[in-house]
Structures are given as structure tokens and as C-alpha cells.
Amino acid sequence: GGTGGQISIVPTSGSNSFHGSLFDYLRNDKLDARNFFDRVRPGGQSRLPLRMNQYGGSIGGPIVKDKVFFFGSYEGYRLRNGVNLIESAPSALAKSQAVPAVAQIFDAFHAPQAFFLPGASVDPNFEIYQLAANNVVNEDSVGARLDFRLNDKHSLYTRFFRDLATTTQPQSISGRVLEIRTWPQNGVIALQSTLTSTMINEVKFGYNGAL
């Protein structure tokens, strides 16, 4: 229903010399300002914890000079960050007015470590709680490519990529969490041929999977 950009991503290939790179990116709560919603909580802590690290590297080079080349890469991502959840839950007044069978589940609306925010609610049947929960992300990505120069007119390459990620996301002041696991992967093998000075042919076979 609409136009969009065309984006082509070409993985790096190896060459006749070895090349590589390393990188690392770091963030933590010692380097960040306090979030507006980071209230002072019991124990005097006012800033939610944050540990984020993104790192990896790549290397490429020859297997057979002028004929076969390789390239590989890896990237890791680790995140541990606090999340402020602020929600309403039935008050003590609402619990006292409920029938016993219902009243016994009222405490499940907020986790024991959630703390009450006095004066935040204008409805006597509800109270406002804040829960400092932890969000956890672990992700590892790997990629590999092989290039084969068959002759002056024909070349072949194959590439494979896999990413494995697990996430634990806090959902509410009840302590409920959502756990997500993703495992996308794809691969391709391609033959490139120069047919004439003005004509190139490429044949590809690809695989995509999402688990």
C-alpha cells in the first residue's frame, strides 16, 4: 500500500591478507543520570541498576591464496537493567469489603517487594505501588562466509548467520515476567557468472528459519 526503500546488505568477504577487528561498548548506572521515575526506595537506593555490554569481533583472510577466502564474525549483548513499574492495586479498604474467597487473593496483585506510594491515589479502593524489577537480555550472534574463485568468469560463495537471544521482561507489580527466546538463522549459497561483457547471471539458494 505504500512505497519504501530498497536496502541491500552485502556481508564482508575475506581477501589475500588477514584482517580483523574487535569492539566493546559499555554502559552502567555509574555513568548515567538518574531516571525521573527513580524514586528513593527503602534502603536509600535512588538509581536503578544498569549493566549493558555489547562486544564482538571479526576476522577474515585466505584459505588458498587467490582462490578460497573466509570471513567470520561474532557479537555478544548482555543487558541487566532495572525497570520501574508503577500500577494500582486494590487497597486495604477494598480488601476489607470483599467476600473472604475474593479477599484472600488481593495480596497477589502486588509482589511483596513492591512498595506503597502514599497519597498517589485519589480512589480509596485503590493504592499505587512501585516495583523495581530487573530486565535481563542475553544475545549471541555469529556469522560465517566462504568465497570460492572458480575461474575468471565464475565465483561461488556461501554464508550462514545465526542469532540466539533470551529475554526476561518484567510485566507488572505482581512480579509477573515474560520470557522470550528467539533463534533466527539464515543461509545462502550463490553462484555468480559473467556471461558476456554486459551480462551477469546469479543463481542463489537460500534458507530462513525462525525458532
Side-chain angles (χ1 to χ4, degrees):
T3 60
Q6 296 290 327
I7 300 173
S8 296
I9 300 176
V10 180
T12 303
S13 63
S15 63
N16 275 329
S17 58
F18 289 96
H19 294 281
S21 64
L22 295 172
F23 70 92
D24 185 78
Y25 176 71
L26 169 69
R27 277 186 61 191
N28 63 43
D29 52 79
K30 304 299 182 184
L31 305 174
D32 284 13
R34 183 180 68 86
N35 186 286
F36 176 80
F37 295 101
D38 285 348
R39 297 171 176 262
V40 176
R41 298 184 296 281
Q45 184 182 12
S46 63
R47 186 180 300 173
L48 288 175
L50 171 64
R51 298 291 184 272
M52 191 188 87
N53 196 234
Q54 190 171 4
Y55 54 91
S58 63
I59 187 171
I63 297 177
V64 179
K65 187 177 180 180
D66 294 328
K67 290 292 185 180
V68 185
F69 313 94
F70 78 94
F71 182 84
S73 64
Y74 166 79
E75 181 176 338
Y77 180 74
R78 301 292 183 270
L79 176 65
R80 308 289 186 272
N81 69 298
V83 179
N84 268 312
L85 299 171
I86 302 175
E87 296 175 353
S88 62
S91 65
L93 175 62
K95 182 178 180 179
S96 67
Q97 296 174 341
V99 297
V102 175
Q104 65 182 352
I105 68 171
F106 272 36
D107 291 339
F109 279 90
H110 60 83
Q113 61 269 33
F115 60 95
F116 170 61
L117 301 178
S121 176
V122 296
D123 188 338
N125 291 307
F126 292 93
E127 295 170 339
I128 305 299
Y129 288 85
Q130 180 171 343
L131 176 66
N134 292 314
N135 182 56
V136 178
V137 180
N138 295 314
E139 185 172 5
D140 295 285
S141 304
V142 294
R145 172 169 169 152
L146 290 174
D147 286 84
F148 304 85
R149 187 172 298 167
L150 305 179
N151 53 46
D152 291 339
K153 292 187 175 182
H154 303 283
S155 63
L156 182 145
Y157 77 86
T158 181
R159 172 190 54 76
F160 184 76
F161 175 82
R162 172 178 287 177
D163 182 271
L164 176 61
T166 57
T167 304
T168 302
Q169 297 178 349
Q171 296 292 295
S172 75
I173 61 171
S174 67
R176 186 179 77 249
V177 298
L178 174 65
E179 293 188 353
I180 304 172
R181 180 181 182 272
T182 57
W183 194 350
Q185 51 190 341
N186 65 78
V188 66
I189 182 169
L191 175 65
Q192 298 171 327
S193 302
T194 302
L195 303 181
T196 68
S197 60
T198 59
M199 185 179 298
I200 295 176
N201 184 67
E202 184 173 44
V203 179
K204 286 185 177 181
F205 295 93
Y207 161 79
N208 285 287
L211 302 176

